[in-house]
Amino acid sequence: MSSTRSSIAALLVSALLSIAATCEGPRPIDLDFDDRGQTTPGGRATYEILPGNDTRRRGSLLDLVAGAAPLTGVEAEPPEQDIIATLAVVAEYASTNGHGSEPVPAGREIDFDVELAGPTTVGIDVDNQRGFVAFRPGVRALDMFSVEALLGVGIDHTRVRVQNAGFLQTDEDVSPGLLLGLRLGFRPIPLIDFYAQASTTAGHSGTTDLEAGGQLNLTKNVGVYGGYRRFRYADEKAKGNGSDLEFDFRGPTFGLSLTF
């Protein structure tokens, strides 16, 4: 008899939990996708406070064409010290976009301004523009190797559009925040720079930007760069209890670099 009562009580509890879950409505689903092969154009401007851009070895493309410096740059202004402290102010801008899709099963929904309940599949378009201004202190050895930190303020503007045959919602988010990062550089000859850079911005939306590439120095002030970039965007606050946003873009990057 007690066993029968226990079974009935268990059934009642299960029924009540099921009814409560139904009353709460569908649970939000997160929007999360990777998009590889996306191109990231951009640009950067750098003002070298210490020791100054004019103290670097000559050997840009213009110098070589004009015969003002040899290819190795050995004869032009060698550094007075093997290791020197550096300080620069740098501003950067980059833009990328991505496309993906997200299945929404029955009993789930996208809570994105207006709720969209499953089952369905939605398309997602993301446009991102970001930039920062930062101090870049560090050290440089033999005018070839450099290690520099990034300390500044970044801002991110992300526009997300979610749609299917009968649903379209667009949201834009602007998120400023503290930027921290690290940059490693290698200049075997003054004509070419190789670099790796990582930075993260902490605001109500978090971003991580990883980049590796090379730069061709056309003059001592102007260069063009290209490489590979991975950018991750995460917004876990997204409309309170709504759908979180997390996007990962990877692909080639290129741009113009100005140095003064």
Side-chain angles (χ1 to χ4, degrees), residues 31-35 40 96 126 128 130 156 158 199-201 205-210 229-236 244-250:
L31 302 182
D32 182 359
F33 72 89
D34 296 349
D35 195 354
T40 303
T96 192
V126 181
N128 175 269
R130 59 192 183 273
D156 180 276
T158 299
S199 63
T200 182
T201 302
S205 299
T207 67
T208 302
D209 205 347
L210 307 176
R229 201 161 191 164
R230 178 180 180 181
F231 174 72
R232 181 178 178 274
Y233 172 89
D235 186 349
E236 297 183 355
D244 291 343
L245 308 177
E246 186 172 320
F247 310 121
D248 198 331
F249 306 132
R250 313 178 195 186

Side-chain angles (χ1 to χ4, degrees), residues 186-202:
F186 174 51
R187 177 177 284 191
I189 58 175
L191 180 65
I192 300 173
D193 284 285
F194 297 100
Y195 66 91
Q197 180 171 296
S199 63
T200 182
T201 302

Side-chain angles (χ1 to χ4, degrees), residues 32 52 68-69 75 84 97 133 141 160 170 181-182 212 241 252-253 260:
D32 182 359
E75 297 178 5
I84 57 176
N97 58 73
V133 177
V160 183
T170 300
L182 179 69
N241 295 323
T253 186
F260 304 97

Side-chain angles (χ1 to χ4, degrees), residues 13-206:
V13 171
S14 298
L16 290 173
L17 291 175
S18 178
I19 292 171
T22 303
C23 292
E24 290 177 358
R27 290 184 295 125
I29 191 171
D30 297 337
L31 302 182
D32 182 359
F33 72 89
D34 296 349
D35 195 354
R36 304 189 180 191
Q38 291 300 318
T39 301
T40 303
R44 59 177 57 106
T46 304
Y47 176 68
E48 292 196 4
I49 301 172
L50 294 173
N53 190 43
D54 290 337
T55 65
R56 306 212 68 175
R57 293 174 294 161
R58 295 177 62 186
S60 68
L61 183 61
L62 179 62
D63 292 331
L64 298 178
V65 171
L71 180 62
T72 59
V74 172
E75 297 178 5
E77 298 109 18
E80 296 180 358
Q81 299 177 339
D82 290 343
I83 299 178
I84 57 176
T86 63
L87 177 62
V89 178
V90 59
E92 291 200 15
Y93 167 81
S95 174
T96 192
N97 58 73
H99 313 280
S101 61
E102 185 77 33
V104 185
R108 305 295 297 275
E109 70 174 6
I110 291 180
D111 188 352
F112 186 77
D113 287 339
V114 178
E115 291 80 8
L116 175 65
T120 187
T121 298
V122 297
I124 307 170
D125 294 310
V126 181
D127 293 310
N128 175 269
Q129 298 183 64
R130 59 192 183 273
F132 69 81
V133 177
F135 288 101
R136 200 171 73 188
V139 294
R140 183 184 299 154
L142 303 174
D143 199 29
M144 294 177 63
F145 306 96
S146 62
V147 179
E148 298 167 299
L150 288 168
L151 306 169
V153 177
I155 187 167
D156 180 276
H157 175 266
T158 299
R159 179 177 181 269
V160 183
R161 183 172 64 182
V162 179
Q163 63 180 336
N164 65 5
F167 179 85
L168 173 61
Q169 286 294 318
T170 300
D171 183 63
E172 295 191 44
D173 181 68
V174 178
S175 177
L178 177 66
L179 179 131
L180 301 174
L182 179 69
R183 183 180 177 90
L184 305 177
F186 174 51
R187 177 177 284 191
I189 58 175
L191 180 65
I192 300 173
D193 284 285
F194 297 100
Y195 66 91
Q197 180 171 296
S199 63
T200 182
T201 302
H204 65 256
S205 299

